[in-house]
Amino acid sequence: MRTAAAEERDPGLQPERTRLAWRRTTLAATVAAVLAMKTALHGGASAASVVTCAVICALWLTFLFLAHHRIRSLAATAIPRALTPRHATAAILCTAAMAACGAALVL
């Protein structure tokens, strides 16, 4: 027979590790966005590079919002809710779009 204590899940340090992973990912996205903007504006700014910089900034802000939302939800309770598919898809699309914009700047 199971007791209530046995059914409770002890998450240990997993939520903290996940929060730290989101922070590291946000920092990496910030560095990538800054380097992409530096590359775009190096040697003179064309209209295409300025538009690409604006898109990268918008994608970075969106990713920052998603990461901050996830970090807050992980810190809110002892047992955090699972990441929704909508938020996961948005984070993946932001990351892929930033990579595509960076590739467009280099080429």
Side-chain angles (χ1 to χ4, degrees):
M1 182 177 210
R2 296 185 128 173
T3 64
E7 291 180 5
E8 289 184 29
R9 178 180 173 267
D10 180 20
L13 294 177
Q14 186 271 328
E16 182 180 357
R17 287 192 308 267
T18 305
R19 279 193 307 272
L20 291 172
W22 275 100
R23 287 187 177 145
R24 283 190 308 270
T25 305
T26 304
L27 179 61
T30 302
V31 170
V34 168
L35 289 175
M37 286 185 274
K38 180 183 175 203
T39 300
L41 302 177
H42 185 280
S46 67
S49 64
V50 171
V51 169
T52 305
C53 283
V55 170
I56 287 173
C57 286
L59 290 167
W60 176 76
L61 286 172
T62 304
F63 186 82
L64 184 67
F65 172 76
L66 291 168
H68 183 67
H69 180 268
R70 184 62 183 158
I71 289 167
R72 281 189 306 165
S73 69
L74 287 169
T77 61
I79 302 173
R81 294 182 303 145
L83 182 63
T84 62
R86 189 177 103 201
H87 284 108
T89 303
I92 291 168
L93 290 176
C94 284
T95 304
M98 282 181 67
C101 287
L105 284 174
V106 173
L107 300 176

